[in-house]
Amino acid sequence: MSKARVQAGGSPVASITVVELAQSPAGEQTGKFIGDLGADVIKVEPPEGVASRHVGPYVKGHEGDPDHSLEFWAYNSSKTSHVVDAATECGRREFAELLARAEVLIVEDVRWLARLGYELDALQQERPDLIILSVTPFGLTGPWKDYRTSDLIALAAGGMLNSCGYDDHSIPPIRPGGNQGFQLGASFAWCALLLALIERKNTGRGQLVDVSLHESNAVSGELANPYYFYPKAVVQRQTNRHAQPEPTQPATFECGDGNYVYFALILAESKAWSTLLTWMDDLGMAADLLDPAYQDIAYRQRQFGHVQELLEVFFLIQDAETVYHEGQRRGLPIGRLNAFEDLPNDEHLQARGFFVDMPTIDGDSTKYPGLPYRFTAFEPVPGRPPRLDEREAENA
Amino acid sequence: MTQNTYANNTAESVMSGVGDESRRPRPRTGPLAGVKIADFCWMGVGAVATRLLADFGADVIKIENRKRLDMPRRLPIYKGDVRSYGNEDPNPDPNKGGLFNNYSRNKLGITVDMADPRGRELVVELIEHCGIVTENFAPGVMEKWNLTYPDLREIRDDVIFARMSGFGHSGPQAHYRSYGPVVQAVSGLSFNSGLPGREPSGWGLSYMDNQAAYYNSAGLLLAIYQRMLTGQGTEVDVSAVEAGIGLLGSDLLDTLVNDRPGRRADYPRGNRLEYPDAAPHGVYPAAGDDQWVAIAVFSDDEWQALRTAMDDPAWTAEERFATIPARIANQDDLDKRIGEWSRGRDKHDVMTLLQNAGVTAAAVQNAMDLVEHDPQIAERGTFFELDHPVIGPALFEGFPGRFGTSRPDNWRSAPLLGEDNAYVFGELLGRDADTLAQLSAEGVI
């Protein structure tokens, strides 16, 4: 692996050592967050490697190779890998030595920790300075604490899935892609770790933090909970737009090149209406919308169906890239539904240097997403994910 | 949007609430006690970011403008009045909005007209007092007020300045307008969700208002920790689009490393997985209108457990369902059969039955289920209640975990418009009552 480089200034977590017992995107992403900022993250793995190394997709030509899993690469940059065999005395001693060096332990499964010779309660007593960050499917307590999860299950139980899918309710709710059920747990675990580090700086004490994926999903539904907390309404899913108590107009438009844009026209917003009208007129597509009657909000709202049809045609005669940039140029909040291949070529992302050139284990390099935040005081650049049992950091 | 001005009598009419001792600002507890933030954040993504800091003891002083109300104050999420947004009350009571209450609990609230030099002067003093400034305006607003990072460092050299925007504060599209669904579209998070061959189903919420907010919280906490260690401040720049791209996972790497395009016939995959192998893996009908249960089977052992839990229907013994590759090859029929089994059953009963048998499964819960049914949420106390002078008692979404010692300090529901003007401008910044009365009468605060 290569450790994260801190190009300028000093990273506040550079001196911290973390031991990570994780193999789902929840715990792994949490370790990545702190590792990408320059902490020493020691990823402890069983002899065959963690589960994420055995999940595809793989680098082409290396199918099944645990060092070339892109699922692993996605969540394990800037870490070292230490194979520790919990079945051997030697392995357990080695783990004890690693843990003795650490300020933070990330743990997804207390049974794995137990096999390595530690119980949570005893460990807290033995190491009051240690921050133990537990990230589990439902939390360490409660009637569902032993229930199993997956990304789909976390999204379903936590209420996120209920808001996502199509207008056609004969189709079940559809899982949003990218392991977001796990990612919500990782985001809260990361904030919890930072709070615990701040408290430790003030008091010298560590603590056990018990983050629940289920709860992380259950508090992240945006409008869904407030709609129940206040008017007792249950929101209904709609295609690629906000689930609401009642149906609203579609906001996804197909363009002439087969790609899509998102644009929610709020007819009560007079400025947006006149901007859109000017744009349509410039392309000779405003038709009868130029009728002064449409200056009246109530009239526009009554004619919504007709407005929507003209809008569909207006977008369909243009390509999505043009619609996106021209709409934004005119001040409308409109977005192209980018596919992955659109992103590295985006001139804005290029100007910001968002993608970094990440060295690969084959001596090659690949584009890799950069950090989600930028600081003037310090500039870390993530290092590559480790091979199985790659213990020493290369000089970056 | 309408530019109604909420005159000071709105605040005065609720000053009765200020007399309530329980709402009076007090020293906070928690790991961030003593941290003070001059908070320009508004909308969802900004307000949720600073909410976490307010929960854990920071004095987050929310700076509002009576001439341009924070959108969550206007969005029609009211007790006893079901409205979709888009169907807002044209003249809303700014203290009635449930979403604002949800987003701004534990914060202090002041009103200032930044266009008035006396308003700006008060804010400069507040920034000097606090040492942390947060904002998520469209790029250009802080510049217009001459409150860029170099300007702020003139006020206080160790200042932390956290900026949150859709596209970040540099680059040719920094000025592009966005909110959650636009961020999701541009970052690829809408494209990656849906059934193959159909338009993307994307998200039914502003997911990135929450996720970018959590990253904003983390960025702020990092800056605070850095200043504790070194005494030095920093500017923090978060682009929600970049945060979204960072959430795409291995699908993005498959394109970046293997040149495999996202635009292909079999992508996205709906509720099925390409990796790892899993079948059944889907969302199945349950008893009731539009009720569903999710089931995820990753191994043959789990399949056997599912068979047993279903009482071994004869079809489950068929060779074409015996192994994972066979079940994947026959997924359409498998999903149909599972759906026939689940259709008449209560979604929570299925969840309990399957989880107790060792099968990964869950009811597709809605907010009503989370509040009224979910025994885990109830036991863990994920939602908590606070009273509010206009709204009354309401539930709130708490921190989704438990700490040994760093407890949240849930001391007050969201501030009424201008509720803490007297405390902040009077007690903290030393303006006397006559000055405050004049500033209020002239619409400066």
Side-chain angles (χ1 to χ4, degrees):
Chain A
M1 59 83 73
S2 51
K3 199 179 161 177
R5 276 178 298 136
V6 181
Q7 290 184 318
S11 162
V13 298
S15 67
I16 292 174
T17 299
V18 179
V19 167
E20 177 193 298
L21 290 177
Q23 50 186 349
S24 88
E28 291 188 331
Q29 177 77 25
T30 309
K32 172 181 158 68
F33 278 134
I34 192 165
D36 283 348
L37 293 168
D40 277 320
V41 179
I42 301 167
K43 186 176 181 74
V44 170
E45 303 199 55
E48 71 279 13
V50 288
S52 51
R53 289 188 183 273
H54 301 282
V55 175
Y58 291 90
V59 179
K60 213 184 308 180
H62 297 272
E63 284 72 15
D65 174 3
D67 288 338
H68 286 89
S69 158
L70 296 175
E71 178 76 1
F72 182 84
W73 285 18
Y75 308 117
N76 290 286
S77 53
S78 315
K79 302 176 187 176
T80 51
S81 163
H82 288 236
V83 165
V84 173
D85 187 351
T88 68
E89 181 57 36
C90 175
R92 290 191 295 274
R93 197 163 50 236
E94 192 181 357
F95 180 75
E97 285 162 13
L98 292 174
L99 197 55
R101 280 165 45 191
E103 284 94 13
V104 177
L105 170 67
I106 298 171
V107 55
E108 287 184 335
D109 184 351
V110 292
R111 291 168 301 184
W112 187 4
L113 185 64
R115 287 197 297 277
L116 290 161
Y118 289 90
E119 303 291 338
L120 277 187
D121 289 346
L123 182 57
Q124 281 184 84
Q125 296 205 344
E126 190 184 315
R127 287 286 307 279
D129 62 314
L130 184 67
I131 295 168
I132 306 171
L133 186 59
S134 165
V135 190
T136 58
F138 290 89
L140 292 171
T141 62
W144 290 359
K145 72 181 170 60
D146 296 323
Y147 277 11
R148 294 159 171 255
T149 204
S150 72
D151 191 65
L152 175 70
I153 298 315
L155 291 163
M160 306 293 287
L161 192 62
N162 185 66
S163 291
C164 300
Y166 289 98
D167 292 318
D168 177 355
H169 282 198
S170 70
I171 300 172
I174 300 289
R175 167 185 172 247
N179 286 326
Q180 307 309 325
F182 285 120
Q183 289 298 319
L184 286 166
S187 294
F188 282 108
W190 176 218
C191 288
L193 173 53
L194 288 164
L195 286 166
L197 283 169
I198 286 169
E199 180 145 324
R200 188 178 188 268
K201 171 71 184 148
N202 285 329
T203 66
R205 287 195 316 266
Q207 60 182 309
L208 171 66
V209 188
D210 165 14
V211 174
S212 151
L213 286 188
H214 177 52
E215 291 176 79
S216 299
N217 280 266
V219 301
S220 298
E222 202 213 4
L223 303 180
N225 286 332
Y227 261 122
Y228 191 74
F229 293 164
Y230 294 92
K232 300 280 178 205
V234 173
V235 297
Q236 310 293 320
R237 65 189 181 279
Q238 313 189 86
T239 308
N240 195 35
R241 65 192 187 281
H242 275 87
Q244 296 253 10
E246 296 145 359
T248 61
Q249 291 294 320
T252 309
F253 295 89
E254 188 172 6
C255 297
D257 57 353
N259 296 323
Y260 295 91
V261 291
Y262 176 90
F263 176 61
L265 176 61
I266 298 172
L267 286 172
E269 289 186 353
S270 295
K271 188 164 175 242
W273 173 255
S274 71
T275 302
L276 176 67
L277 202 59
T278 305
W279 186 14
M280 292 174 81
D281 194 29
D282 286 351
L283 270 68
M285 296 292 291
D288 63 327
L289 301 185
L290 294 169
D291 185 328
Y294 281 93
Q295 291 306 308
D296 177 47
I297 293 173
Y299 185 78
R300 290 203 290 271
Q301 284 171 333
R302 282 197 302 278
Q303 300 296 319
F304 207 129
H306 178 59
V307 173
Q308 191 80 6
E309 279 174 26
L310 290 175
L311 207 50
E312 281 172 16
V313 176
F314 177 64
F315 288 136
L316 202 51
I317 61 157
Q318 307 177 69
D319 66 72
E321 186 75 358
T322 303
V323 168
Y324 170 39
H325 295 296
E326 182 60 20
Q328 284 282 359
R329 192 185 68 75
R330 291 171 185 260
L332 296 173
I334 188 165
R336 183 165 91 135
L337 271 67
N338 280 325
F340 315 123
E341 53 269 33
D342 302 326
L343 300 171
N345 303 318
D346 182 286
E347 63 161 351
H348 178 71
L349 295 170
Q350 285 179 348
R352 281 174 61 82
F354 172 66
F355 287 101
V356 298
D357 287 316
M358 167 87 71
T360 69
I361 56 177
D362 305 308
D364 210 347
S365 94
T366 183
K367 289 204 181 310
Y368 192 89
L371 299 193
Y373 23 53
R374 293 161 192 238
F375 303 88
T376 48
F378 52 99
E379 291 176 38
V381 180
R384 72 164 169 75
R387 287 193 180 88
L388 183 60
D389 208 26
E390 186 175 357
R391 300 177 172 216
E392 296 297 323
E394 290 167 5
N395 291 326
Chain B
M1 275 290 163
T2 48
Q3 297 270 317
N4 292 328
T5 296
Y6 290 85
N8 296 338
N9 63 359
T10 311
E12 279 157 17
S13 68
V14 296
M15 281 301 176
S16 54
V18 178
D20 178 351
E21 267 307 302
S22 71
R23 293 188 67 80
R24 220 189 111 67
R26 59 158 175 77
R28 304 291 309 285
T29 62
L32 302 177
V35 170
K36 298 183 178 71
I37 300 177
D39 180 26
F40 285 105
C41 286
W42 66 339
M43 314 297 284
V45 63
V48 172
T50 53
R51 180 177 72 179
L52 180 103
L53 282 85
D55 289 353
F56 285 90
D59 284 321
V60 176
I61 301 169
K62 185 175 174 74
I63 304 165
E64 297 188 76
N65 179 351
R66 291 179 187 276
K67 292 176 183 165
R68 196 158 179 203
L69 285 185
D70 192 2
M71 178 77 91
R73 284 200 184 271
R74 289 185 278 141
L75 287 175
I77 299 188
Y78 303 135
K79 279 188 174 175
D81 181 7
V82 181
R83 294 162 178 256
S84 288
Y85 69 86
N87 180 25
E88 282 121 46
D89 181 340
N91 197 15
D93 177 348
N95 294 315
K96 200 177 138 188
L99 198 61
F100 183 85
N101 197 26
N102 194 43
Y103 285 164
S104 290
R105 62 166 189 238
N106 296 328
K107 299 178 188 174
L108 304 175
I110 59 171
T111 50
V112 185
D113 181 0
M114 287 294 289
D116 188 299
R118 292 167 296 176
R120 187 182 180 280
E121 186 189 321
L122 284 168
V123 165
V124 166
E125 271 183 54
L126 183 65
I127 289 169
E128 190 182 1
H129 175 80
C130 291
I132 302 177
V133 182
T134 53
E135 65 97 8
N136 67 314
F137 293 122
V141 173
M142 296 303 279
E143 286 76 4
K144 184 182 73 187
W145 292 337
N146 294 318
L147 292 176
T148 63
Y149 184 51
D151 296 323
L152 295 171
R153 288 193 69 179
E154 294 288 316
I155 299 168
R156 188 165 154 170
D157 188 53
D158 68 348
V159 74
I160 291 169
F161 183 34
R163 318 197 72 179
M164 317 163 184
S165 64
F167 291 80
H169 278 272
S170 65
Q173 293 158 16
H175 62 286
Y176 274 21
R177 296 189 58 197
S178 70
Y179 57 114
V182 172
V183 169
Q184 287 143 212
V186 174
S187 61
L189 280 166
S190 303
F191 172 83
N192 73 352
S193 310
L195 289 166
R198 275 181 182 259
E199 68 183 309
S201 52
W203 289 87
L205 62 150
S206 284
Y207 174 64
M208 283 313 297
D209 278 5
N210 279 333
Q211 271 289 20
Y214 305 154
Y215 285 9
N216 291 331
S217 301
L220 254 173
L221 291 171
L222 275 162
I224 290 167
Y225 188 51
Q226 155 91 358
R227 192 168 70 181
M228 288 171 74
L229 296 175
T230 66
Q232 288 171 355
T234 183
E235 183 177 42
V236 189
D237 174 23
V238 177
S239 149
V241 165
E242 290 171 1
I245 296 169
L247 288 162
L248 295 171
S250 61
D251 289 330
L252 171 65
L253 294 185
D254 204 6
T255 299
L256 296 178
V257 177
N258 290 334
D259 287 328
R260 191 181 187 200
R263 289 190 185 91
R264 59 183 199 259
D266 66 347
Y267 191 87
R269 297 179 169 272
N271 291 325
R272 291 179 179 173
L273 295 184
E274 183 176 13
Y275 307 103
D277 287 344
H281 189 280
V283 178
Y284 304 93
D289 178 32
D290 203 19
Q291 302 297 312
W292 306 87
V293 61
I295 302 173
V297 171
F298 296 94
S299 71
D300 290 336
D301 286 349
E302 291 171 11
W303 168 244
Q304 292 308 325
L306 175 62
R307 286 183 63 189
T308 306
M310 291 193 300
D311 274 342
D312 281 313
W315 63 266
T316 62
E318 292 173 29
E319 197 59 30
R320 66 200 178 111
F321 299 131
T323 63
I324 284 226
R327 287 195 298 282
I328 289 172
N330 295 290
Q331 249 178 129
D332 289 343
D333 206 29
L334 176 69
D335 283 346
K336 188 166 146 276
R337 301 279 194 161
I338 301 275
E340 285 164 2
W341 174 81
S342 63
R343 186 176 299 279
R345 292 163 205 270
D346 176 80
K347 65 184 180 183
H348 286 106
D349 289 349
V350 173
M351 177 180 186
T352 308
L353 173 74
L354 297 188
Q355 283 280 2
N356 287 334
V359 177
T360 312
V364 176
Q365 297 203 100
N366 58 36
M368 181 170 70
D369 296 318
L370 293 175
V371 174
E372 313 288 354
H373 182 281
D374 188 319
Q376 186 71 6
I377 296 289
E379 169 85 13
R380 304 262 300 175
T382 316
F383 301 147
F384 63 92
E385 191 176 281
L386 290 171
D387 201 2
H388 182 281
V390 173
I391 297 168
L395 283 179
F396 292 81
E397 300 159 307
F399 190 85
R402 290 174 167 190
F403 289 84
T405 53
S406 307
R407 294 189 201 296
D409 173 23
N410 295 313
W411 70 285
R412 197 181 77 173
S413 55
L416 305 167
L417 190 61
E419 179 169 358
D420 301 299
N421 282 356
Y423 170 74
V424 172
F425 299 128
E427 293 185 39
L428 295 187
L429 302 186
R431 297 298 191 276
D432 61 35
D434 289 347
T435 307
L436 289 183
Q438 189 184 349
L439 290 171
S440 176
E442 294 177 24
V444 180
I445 63 173

